[in-house]
Amino acid sequence: MTIDLAHPDLYTTDDRFEMWREYVASDAKIWSGPGLSPGGFWSVFSHRDVAAVLSPKAPFTSEHGMMIGFDAEHADTSGGRMLVVSEGDWHTVLKRLIGPFLSRLRAPELESVLRHEVKEIVERLKSEETTDIALEVGPRLPAAIVCEVIGVPIGEREQLIELTNHAFGGEDSSFSKMTPAEAHTEILFYFHELIERRQRQPGTDLVSALLADGRLSTEDVLINCDNVLIGGNETTRHSITGAFHVFQKFPGTLDALHADPELTDRAVEELVRWTSPAAHVLRVATEDCVVGGQEIRKGQAVVAWLSAANRDERLFPDPHTFLPGRTPNRHLGFGTGPHHCLGAALARVELKELLRQLAAEARGVRLAGELRWMRSNLVQGYSSLPVSMEWR
């Protein structure tokens, strides 16, 4: 069976959920020949197969790239230098440098920023009859937190948040002034300037810590800050937007969280599972191997569809329903193995605070227009989610 699963049009409607259901149920392994990805790739979908590919002992590497389009012959130029596309000793070095800035230990320092940002979101929602969550709410919270971590001065954050929106808004970016690629280039220019400032005036932020270590070139600092910006924004923003989709689609969820705040931690995990913003990750085989009965040749790319695995009925009964108290919940929303999302703890803290304040203040969410999915094979996210709120 061949289908080009790289095509972003496949992911703009709810039809993909039925496609994934069939692939998961049949333990499908699908080859997509050269097309949008120059060398083609295998795809796996079930929770078991995805976990197997991402296992620490699996004969796969991320160093050639971690998303569709890369393979051994068409490698990511950041391979072996940037956190998400490095392995072994250098990956360990980067994790130890970057990890503390994204861990729970860092969360108390960010708590005041977090509560202030969520409070502002709630106040904004109260002041508007309708709000497009995907454009005006989802991006703000993670961008503010990432700016704090990286060390972006307060007066420059709005500019970076806006550029981030345009750079990673999907292939149908509606921003008319510049293309997503141009916006991303502007971000890289900004980081270059910030690095030069931190070389002269170090602080207590991530940029300063990476520079002080001495093992990273300026270019290494640049690409890893870019990695943190993308990773910190592109997943959490869609889980935040997805929370409002959940509250609209499953009435009573806010009341359940309001009545039993102890549900909140489990609801955060369910939100990550149900939204699965990181649609896929890619690995390249380092030797001939077999995954779930399918032979994979050395150098071939394998795409692990996290969003499909998180709807595997064998692990998640009634997988399309949001169950705030779902347990166990062995979702793969943050990946698994050596490349488990380093920012998972921060994402959980952000989502928990959002759910806490919304459950206290809001009773329901209504769609106020058309929900539109992003045209992207990498990010399962929203390009538009206009809503109106019902307050307590």
Side-chain angles (χ1 to χ4, degrees), residues 198-213:
R198 289 293 176 263
Q199 286 171 327
R200 297 190 301 269
Q201 297 175 303
T204 58
D205 50 74
L206 177 61
V207 172
S208 300
L210 294 178
L211 288 169
D213 180 73

Side-chain angles (χ1 to χ4, degrees), residues 2 55 57 61 89 100 115 134 147 213 243 282 342 351 369:
T2 59
S55 163
K57 295 182 179 179
T61 181
D89 292 345
R115 290 195 171 180
C147 283
D213 180 73
L282 176 143
L342 209 55
L351 294 172

Side-chain angles (χ1 to χ4, degrees), residues 189-250:
F189 278 134
Y190 174 80
F191 279 145
H192 189 71
E193 292 172 4
L194 183 63
I195 288 166
E196 287 184 338
R197 270 186 273 168
R198 289 293 176 263
Q199 286 171 327
R200 297 190 301 269
Q201 297 175 303
T204 58
D205 50 74
L206 177 61
V207 172
S208 300
L210 294 178
L211 288 169
D213 180 73
R215 286 174 286 185
L216 283 77
S217 68
T218 301
E219 180 73 13
D220 290 337
V221 175
L222 180 76
I223 62 175
N224 279 287
C225 285
D226 190 44
N227 184 191
V228 170
L229 178 76
I230 296 169
N233 275 294
E234 274 317 280
T235 48
T236 311
R237 67 183 288 185
H238 294 296
S239 282
I240 288 170
T241 304
F244 290 83
H245 186 195
V246 163
F247 299 147
Q248 176 270 323
K249 194 175 177 70
F250 303 98

Side-chain angles (χ1 to χ4, degrees), residues 12-337:
T12 58
T13 72
D14 288 351
D15 292 348
R16 66 185 180 282
F17 297 116
E18 177 59 25
M19 176 178 74
W20 285 331
R21 188 195 66 76
E22 293 176 4
Y23 291 162
V24 169
S26 63
D27 284 317
K29 285 81 179 172
I30 292 179
W31 172 253
S32 294
L36 294 179
S37 177
F41 57 93
W42 286 102
S43 285
V44 297
F45 306 91
S46 71
H47 191 282
R48 181 181 60 194
D49 288 342
V50 167
V53 169
L54 302 183
S55 163
K57 295 182 179 179
F60 293 98
T61 181
S62 70
E63 286 200 333
H64 297 296
M66 50 77 66
M67 58 188 178
I68 289 174
F70 296 121
D71 56 36
E73 294 183 5
H74 311 87
D76 188 336
T77 56
S78 299
R81 299 167 64 205
M82 186 166 65
L83 179 66
V84 294
V85 285
S86 62
E87 303 285 358
D89 292 345
W90 186 239
H91 185 246
T92 301
V93 166
L94 291 173
K95 279 211 297 190
R96 287 175 178 168
L97 284 170
I98 298 171
F101 288 88
L102 304 176
S103 71
R104 284 197 186 278
L105 296 174
R106 185 82 181 176
E109 299 173 42
L110 297 170
E111 195 169 308
S112 62
V113 176
L114 181 58
R115 290 195 171 180
H116 172 75
E117 288 292 335
V118 176
K119 186 176 180 183
E120 285 215 331
I121 286 171
V122 171
E123 292 305 315
R124 176 174 187 160
L125 289 168
K126 284 183 174 180
S127 71
E128 298 175 345
E129 191 170 320
T130 64
T131 305
D132 193 327
I133 303 298
L135 297 179
E136 299 169 38
V137 173
R140 291 211 58 86
L141 182 57
I145 295 298
V146 169
C147 283
E148 182 77 13
V149 165
I150 291 173
V152 177
I154 291 173
E156 299 169 8
R157 290 181 186 180
E158 282 298 324
Q159 173 200 2
L160 196 62
I161 290 169
E162 186 176 344
L163 283 171
T164 302
N165 279 352
H166 306 320
F168 310 117
E171 294 189 27
D172 57 352
S173 176
S174 58
F175 186 56
S176 59
K177 295 178 186 174
M178 63 176 75
T179 66
E182 288 169 340
H184 194 194
T185 299
E186 287 294 317
I187 290 171
L188 295 176
F189 278 134
Y190 174 80
F191 279 145
H192 189 71
E193 292 172 4
L194 183 63
I195 288 166
E196 287 184 338
R197 270 186 273 168
R198 289 293 176 263
Q199 286 171 327
R200 297 190 301 269
Q201 297 175 303
T204 58
D205 50 74
L206 177 61
V207 172
S208 300
L210 294 178
L211 288 169
D213 180 73
R215 286 174 286 185
L216 283 77
S217 68
T218 301
E219 180 73 13
D220 290 337
V221 175
L222 180 76
I223 62 175
N224 279 287
C225 285
D226 190 44
N227 184 191
V228 170
L229 178 76
I230 296 169
N233 275 294
E234 274 317 280
T235 48
T236 311
R237 67 183 288 185
H238 294 296
S239 282
I240 288 170
T241 304
F244 290 83
H245 186 195
V246 163
F247 299 147
Q248 176 270 323
K249 194 175 177 70
F250 303 98
T253 302
L254 280 166
D255 283 341
L257 294 174
H258 181 71
D260 184 6
E262 295 292 316
L263 275 178
T264 307
D265 284 334
R266 279 177 282 168
V268 165
E269 299 306 315
E270 178 70 342
L271 184 58
V272 175
R273 181 198 73 83
W274 194 85
T275 56
S276 289
H280 79 259
V281 290
L282 176 143
R283 297 290 184 265
V284 173
T286 55
E287 61 186 61
D288 291 350
C289 59
V290 176
V291 175
Q294 176 62 55
E295 293 184 2
I296 310 291
R297 293 197 308 274
K298 179 181 179 179
Q300 286 189 320
V302 177
V303 172
W305 291 94
L306 305 175
S307 43
N310 281 339
R311 302 253 177 157
D312 190 331
E313 293 184 57
R314 289 164 289 198
L315 275 87
F316 310 106
D318 196 9
H320 304 299
T321 300
F322 182 92
L323 302 174
R326 186 186 293 273
T327 185
N329 193 343
R330 292 172 48 211
H331 69 78
L332 298 172
F334 293 120
T336 187

